[in-house]
Amino acid sequence: MPDLNGYDRQGSFNINYNKCDLVCFSHLRWDFVFQRPQHLLRRAGKDRRVFFVEEPIFDDGTMHFEVMERESGVKVVVPHLPKGLSSAIASNAVLHDLLNRFFIQENISDYMFWYYTPMALSFSADLKPRAIVYDCMDELSAFKGAHQLLRQYEDELFRQADLVFTGGKTLYEAKKTQHESVHCFPSSIDYSHFSKARTIVSEPDDQKNIPHPRLGFFGVVDERFDIELLAAVAEARPDWQFVILGPIVKIDPATLPNSSNIHYLGAKSYEELPDYIAGWDVALLLFADNEATRFISPTKTPEYLAAGKPVVSTPITDVVSPYGERGLVQIAATPPEFIAAAERALNGNDSGSDWLNRVDNFLASTSWDDTWARMSSLIDKTIHTKSTSLILQTEQVRLLAEAAVV
């Protein structure tokens, strides 16, 4: 049982007296790729209303918010603006007006803000949420096409936020001095979903006729993807088949290697991924060494491991530690190193019962349920503290006013 200050015997803050609405502003589309936002906000939606506000779509229709309900009650909100509204100032003014109308329409009066994109401050900064959370899952300023004002807006978001969460240890180290309450929440795992791959025997139609050995990757294929490494390894080992799942964005598809042993099967749903991974012999983390990958903490790392597949990765810092250091993932930087690591994996070096037991023991310490519970506890504590402070301030004003009358 919690005490009067809201803490239980383990020291966690767990009073759920206020489940205000959560309004999230995201640069990612809810229906694009299932990742960190969906894992967290679906869980948030179990005990509060969640509104996921995407970046605007410019089309020929009227200005409005399109609202679509998704799993766990999450409402995806897509702003539609006219194509001719090219000025950022005009767009932000319209978004501000639409957002205020939407709050009235949905009776959103007791709410918190959750930011994935600092750019949303341009039309939401004057509203008065109970708390502001910045879930910094990536260093967006290092991504291709990043807005020139992104860093400026992020600095402002650090000033306004009550809590900052980071998507990995490297990003935490980079951000921890910029705010007094920064908390590291690395990539977690839905173990039961991906561990199904260990027992699946049926094959998806577009993969079943691809020969073995199969080395697979799933994820967004963009500027973070190591095109040169894939091309070199595929050329050196024409007997290996490379299965690439995921949408191709921000890069020209013509720049991707197109040898006969590389198979681009397109984007797959989150539900389908275990069916594909089950048919792989090795899972790959094909990330380039550039500014866009410097701070990433790939969610697919524990997902591959939960599926029971040996993993070979380029030396991404948040993969090297802890996965590489614990012998759970092989790390390789050059094509010869990558080939040698993949050969070891294909020869069974990382598929025995001892390795799998170590994988499972490591993964047992984390889950998206636990991650959300710890985040939610911090949010509740923050709202409780701010509410108590406001009550005390109001009481002090009242007492001062009464003393002045006397």
Side-chain angles (χ1 to χ4, degrees):
M1 293 294 291
D3 62 24
L4 293 178
N5 292 316
Y7 293 89
D8 62 19
R9 293 188 181 94
Q10 286 72 45
S12 297
F13 192 87
N14 64 356
I15 284 184
N16 296 323
Y17 64 90
N18 174 63
K19 289 299 179 186
C20 59
D21 296 335
L22 188 157
V23 181
C24 174
F25 300 100
S26 178
H27 59 293
L28 300 168
R29 302 286 176 193
W30 184 268
D31 295 325
F32 177 52
V33 175
F34 196 101
Q35 48 192 309
R36 181 184 180 95
Q38 289 86 346
H39 280 296
L40 295 173
L41 298 180
R42 286 201 313 173
R43 286 162 173 80
K46 293 178 180 179
D47 55 15
R48 68 177 81 218
R49 292 197 302 173
V50 174
F51 301 90
F52 186 84
V53 183
E54 299 183 351
E55 292 184 333
I57 291 176
F58 293 87
D59 53 28
D60 295 323
T62 59
M63 295 181 293
H64 69 285
F65 275 1
E66 178 186 7
V67 183
M68 300 166 287
E69 188 157 339
R70 293 294 184 260
E71 58 271 31
S72 299
V74 175
K75 289 188 176 181
V76 177
V77 182
V78 184
H80 287 260
L81 302 182
K83 287 182 179 178
L85 200 64
S86 57
S87 164
I89 295 176
S91 296
N92 290 334
V94 171
L95 285 170
H96 177 271
D97 184 53
L98 289 174
L99 186 65
N100 278 275
R101 293 183 189 180
F102 182 73
F103 273 39
I104 295 172
Q105 173 188 324
E106 294 288 336
N107 192 28
I108 303 173
S109 58
D110 184 20
Y111 56 94
M112 60 172 287
F113 280 166
W114 182 290
Y115 288 91
Y116 280 110
T117 171
M119 298 302 298
L121 278 177
S122 61
F123 59 87
S124 63
D126 68 325
L127 295 171
K128 305 298 181 184
R130 276 186 175 251
I132 295 177
V133 174
Y134 177 26
D135 188 18
C136 183
M137 62 181 285
D138 287 304
E139 182 56 81
L140 295 180
S141 62
F143 281 22
K144 186 176 181 179
H147 197 284
Q148 60 182 353
L149 297 178
L150 181 58
R151 286 189 180 274
Q152 179 179 324
Y153 275 109
E154 184 179 67
D155 289 343
E156 179 59 30
L157 184 52
F158 273 115
R159 284 189 286 270
Q160 293 194 24
D162 299 291
L163 292 168
V164 176
F165 302 146
T166 67
K169 184 179 179 181
T170 304
L171 198 54
Y172 170 77
E173 294 297 328
K175 303 295 184 182
K176 67 181 181 181
T177 61
Q178 296 178 245
H179 193 277
E180 63 181 9
S181 187
V182 182
H183 306 267
C184 183
F185 286 101
S187 298
S188 198
I189 179 66
D190 182 350
Y191 180 86
S192 63
H193 179 68
F194 283 95
S195 63
K196 291 185 295 187
R198 302 184 186 189
T199 56
I200 292 174
V201 294
S202 60
E203 288 265 24
D205 288 341
D206 56 351
Q207 181 174 275
K208 64 183 181 182
N209 294 323
I210 297 175
H212 288 269
R214 296 182 193 148
L215 296 82
F217 169 93
F218 71 74
V220 179
V221 180
D222 58 14
E223 73 270 26
R224 296 169 296 176
F225 190 80
D226 198 330
I227 295 172
E228 290 76 16
L229 178 62
L230 174 61
V233 176
E235 181 180 6
R237 296 305 304 261
D239 54 319
W240 292 355
Q241 306 299 315
F242 297 85
V243 178
I244 311 298
L245 310 180
I248 301 169
V249 300
K250 295 195 291 182
I251 61 172
D252 183 355
T255 64
L256 295 172
N258 61 357
S259 58
S260 60
N261 62 332
I262 303 177
H263 311 269
Y264 300 99
L265 302 187
K268 305 300 175 184
S269 70
Y270 181 72
E271 288 71 26
E272 293 176 294
L273 291 177
D275 296 320
Y276 283 88
I277 302 172
W280 298 352
D281 300 293
V282 180
L284 306 177
L285 290 166
L286 288 165
F287 287 109
D289 180 12
N290 57 37
E291 281 300 305
T293 63
R294 181 181 173 191
F295 299 101
I296 64 172
S297 178
T299 305
K300 61 180 62 62
T301 313
E303 292 171 345
Y304 286 163
L305 292 172
K309 298 301 175 181
V311 182
V312 179
S313 174
T314 52
I316 297 301
T317 302
D318 280 11
V319 178
V320 173
S321 177
Y323 300 100
E325 294 174 350
R326 292 172 179 260
L328 305 180
V329 170
Q330 294 196 58
I331 307 298
T334 65
E337 290 175 358
F338 214 86
I339 291 170
E343 286 176 338
R344 289 194 297 271
L346 290 170
N347 289 332
N349 288 36
D350 290 340
S351 58
S353 58
D354 175 66
W355 173 81
L356 200 56
N357 286 335
R358 288 189 290 112
V359 164
D360 287 343
N361 288 336
F362 177 83
L363 296 180
S365 64
T366 183
S367 71
W368 285 115
D369 286 336
D370 177 66
T371 296
W372 172 248
R374 289 186 289 129
M375 286 179 167
S376 186
S377 176
L378 287 167
I379 293 167
D380 286 344
K381 178 183 176 181
T382 296
I383 292 175
H384 174 77
T385 300
K386 291 181 70 175
S387 298
T388 301
S389 177
L390 181 60
I391 291 171
L392 291 175
Q393 290 175 21
T394 303
E395 181 65 11
Q396 288 173 353
V397 170
R398 185 187 67 80
L399 292 174
L400 288 172
E402 289 180 355
V405 171
V406 173

